[in-house]
Amino acid sequence: MGGMDRVLRQVQARPYSLKNVPIEALHAIWNGLCAHIHNVLASGKGMTMNQFGTWSFHVDSVDLGTQRKVMRTPVFTLSERFQRLYNLRFTRGPSGISGSVPVRELNIMAVASASGQPRELVATALKDIFLYAGEQAMSGAPLRLDFGSTGAFVCTGGGYC
C-alpha cells in the first residue's frame, strides 16, 4: 500500500478537516473500507458509493452439457455523477453489472467498526479522499487507488480512467 500512503498523506496535507488526523487513522479507515467492500462482494452482493461507483458482478449462465453453471465476474462501474463532476471518461468493460445481483449502499458504520474510528471521521475522510481522487484525475495527473484484494482504480492521465 505504498501508493495509498502517498495518496493519504496528500489528502491529509490539504487545507480541509483532516489536517489534525493522524495518518494511521486514515490508513485504518482506508483498510476498513477495503475490508468492507471485500466482505460485501464475498457475500455475493454488490456495493455502491454514490459519490464514486459500484462494485458488483456480471452473471452469465454457462451450459456445460449435462449441467448449467452460473459464472459471476466482478465488475466496477464509475458513477455517472463522478464522471460528470470531474469530466472523466471511463472505459467500460465488455460486460456490465447484472440486475439480478442485490447492491447495497456503503455502510459507514461497518467501515467505522472495521477501522476502529468514529463514524463522523470515517464519513469526512472518505469524502475528502474521493474529492482528492476526482480532482487529481481531472487534472490529468496519474492516480491509483488500491482497494486491497478487490482491485485498484487507475487513471492514467488525460481524464481517462
Side-chain angles (χ1 to χ4, degrees):
M1 258 204 203
M4 280 311 300
D5 184 63
R6 185 182 61 80
V7 168
L8 295 176
R9 287 185 187 282
Q10 289 176 345
V11 169
Q12 182 190 39
R14 293 165 58 106
Y16 295 116
S17 53
L18 299 178
K19 266 253 189 254
N20 298 324
V21 176
I23 194 68
E24 295 80 15
L26 294 179
H27 276 287
I29 291 167
W30 189 258
N31 292 338
L33 173 66
C34 295
H36 180 61
I37 294 169
H38 176 78
N39 291 340
V40 169
L41 292 174
S43 73
K45 296 176 175 61
M47 194 196 81
T48 188
M49 290 179 61
N50 284 335
Q51 78 258 26
F52 186 62
T54 302
W55 291 264
S56 190
F57 298 95
H58 176 78
V59 179
D60 282 318
S61 181
V62 179
D63 186 359
L64 299 175
T66 59
Q67 65 184 29
R68 296 187 69 75
K69 182 174 169 119
V70 175
M71 288 186 44
R72 299 164 63 89
T73 307
V75 178
F76 174 77
T77 302
L78 193 63
S79 81
E80 289 182 22
R81 181 179 178 273
F82 193 84
Q83 290 178 60
R84 275 195 313 274
L85 191 59
Y86 297 108
N87 195 29
L88 300 176
R89 293 175 296 281
F90 181 68
T91 54
R92 295 182 191 269
S95 56
I97 293 174
S98 296
S100 62
V101 177
V103 177
R104 297 178 173 173
E105 289 283 327
L106 171 66
N107 183 340
I108 295 289
M109 283 303 298
V111 176
S113 176
S115 67
Q117 301 298 318
R119 181 197 178 287
E120 298 78 24
L121 177 59
V122 169
T124 301
L126 292 178
K127 180 180 70 77
D128 286 357
I129 290 167
F130 289 105
L131 174 68
Y132 170 81
E135 290 172 355
Q136 284 296 109
M138 186 171 69
S139 74
L143 172 74
R144 180 181 176 97
L145 298 178
D146 290 311
F147 289 95
S149 62
T150 304
F153 173 73
V154 179
C155 282
T156 55
Y160 284 97
C161 298

